């Protein structure tokens, strides 16, 4: 069964460093998403991406965050200057088209120290 | 915020049916009811969704009331591996006001041996 894959599964970084989280969405999917979950809290929407543009973003997704589809298969989330409060599990997700079922990856656990 | 109400926790005996309720009294005519689950901080896993009619797949059944103000997810024979947080999410379909999923706090289902 096709799945969303994410790398790395776990990353530890120092405060102020840049981090790139990578995702390979399901191959025929056109809509991509990033969510995050701080330990013990809800899963929160960050951003959705379609046709090489951000289609929607939350208040959390401020200027330190960016997304990119650098090639035909990868979808990345960059955090420019990490803060302690960025420590969370980051989930990538994709859907075939708008309104279709969204499928999630297993997540990348980011620890900022 | 999520437009659904779920009990915070439920228990179920292994091998018995687990019935997870969800209230969504403000659901609009073009909004779907989606169910996901999250096993111990893994990525949210899609279970099932529906609009008006009851739905069944290999994982579960979804019963939606005629007025669509509530629904029940049924796991017919719960196993220990079904222990997870179950999220009921209302979401617009194609062309809906929002494409994203908004997660609440869900129901923690504990399957007891």
């Amino acid at each position: 069964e096709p799945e969303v894959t994410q790398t790395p599964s776990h990353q530890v970084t120092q405060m102020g460093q840049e981090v790139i989280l990578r995702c390979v969405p399901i191959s025929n999917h056109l809509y991509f998403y990033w969510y995050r979950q701080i330990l013990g809290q809800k899963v929160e929407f960050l951003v959705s991406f379609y046709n090489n543009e951000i289609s929607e973003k939350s208040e959390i997704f401020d200027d330190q965050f960016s997304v990119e589809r650098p090639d035909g298969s990868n979808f990345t989330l960059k955090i420019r200057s990490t803060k302690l409060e960025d420590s969370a599990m980051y989930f990538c997700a994709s859907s075939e088209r708008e309104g279709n079922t969204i499928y999630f990856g297993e997540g990348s656990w980011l620890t900022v120290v | 915020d999520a437009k659904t109400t779920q009990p915070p926790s439920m228990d179920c005996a292994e091998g018995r049916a687990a019935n997870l309720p969800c209230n969504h009294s403000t659901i609009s005519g073009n909004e779907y009811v989606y169910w996901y689950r999250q096993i111990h901080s893994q990525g949210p896993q899609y279970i099932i969704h529906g609009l008006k009619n009851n739905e069944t797949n290999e994982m579960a059944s979804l019963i939606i009331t005629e007025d669509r103000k509530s629904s029940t997810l049924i796991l017919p024979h719960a196993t220990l591996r079904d222990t997870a947080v179950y999220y009921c999410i209302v979401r617009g379909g194609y062309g809906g006001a929002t494409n994203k999923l908004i997660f609440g706090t869900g129901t923690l289902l504990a399957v007891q041996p």
Side-chain angles (χ1 to χ4, degrees):
Chain A
E1 183 178 313
E3 57 182 21
V4 176
T5 57
Q6 293 186 239
T7 54
S9 55
H10 189 190
Q11 181 161 354
V12 180
T13 190
Q14 291 209 322
M15 193 167 51
Q17 294 297 304
E18 177 182 284
V19 159
I20 297 175
L21 305 178
R22 291 182 168 79
C23 169
V24 178
I26 295 172
S27 63
N28 63 333
H29 285 192
L30 301 178
Y31 284 80
F32 315 120
Y33 312 83
W34 284 100
Y35 286 74
R36 80 171 185 189
Q37 186 175 30
I38 295 170
L39 189 63
Q41 298 187 22
K42 296 181 191 179
V43 177
E44 300 174 292
F45 168 78
L46 291 179
V47 67
S48 60
F49 189 86
Y50 169 71
N51 199 26
N52 279 321
E53 289 184 345
I54 290 174
S55 50
E56 191 174 358
K57 62 181 181 178
S58 71
E59 291 177 355
I60 303 168
F61 194 87
D62 60 23
D63 291 346
Q64 69 159 339
F65 291 95
S66 62
V67 289
E68 190 180 26
R69 187 152 165 84
D71 54 44
S73 59
N74 290 286
F75 178 53
T76 61
L77 174 69
K78 182 191 290 186
I79 309 175
R80 237 176 297 282
S81 177
T82 50
K83 300 179 252 191
L84 294 176
E85 53 265 38
D86 294 327
S87 294
M89 182 76 92
Y90 288 82
F91 297 110
C92 176
S94 69
S95 63
E96 189 171 351
R97 44 181 204 140
E98 186 185 29
N100 278 30
T101 300
I102 296 175
Y103 295 92
F104 287 79
E106 286 305 305
S108 293
W109 182 245
L110 176 65
T111 302
V112 182
V113 297
Chain B
D1 276 62
K3 299 181 286 185
T4 62
T5 304
Q6 299 178 252
S9 64
M10 291 182 64
D11 287 346
C12 176
E14 190 178 15
R16 304 297 294 266
N19 296 277
L20 292 94
C22 179
N23 286 321
H24 32 79
S25 58
T26 60
I27 192 169
S28 301
N30 65 345
E31 289 182 318
Y32 288 74
V33 180
Y34 276 79
W35 284 83
Y36 283 79
R37 72 181 182 183
Q38 190 175 26
I39 299 172
H40 191 54
S41 293
Q42 294 179 20
Q45 179 188 21
Y46 166 74
I47 302 173
I48 199 167
H49 73 282
L51 183 63
K52 296 181 192 175
N53 300 322
N54 298 337
E55 301 288 344
T56 296
N57 64 20
E58 65 278 4
M59 288 184 70
S61 295
L62 174 60
I63 309 297
I64 302 174
T65 58
E66 196 168 335
D67 64 7
R68 304 211 317 126
K69 292 186 177 181
S70 65
S71 60
T72 301
L73 178 74
I74 301 172
L75 307 178
H77 306 287
T79 71
L80 298 178
R81 286 177 294 181
D82 292 322
T83 292
V85 178
Y86 286 78
Y87 299 101
C88 169
I89 302 171
V90 167
R91 176 188 180 218
Y94 179 76
T98 180
N99 192 32
K100 62 182 184 281
L101 295 166
I102 301 174
F103 287 81
T105 51
T107 296
L108 174 58
L109 175 70
V111 180
Q112 309 290 345

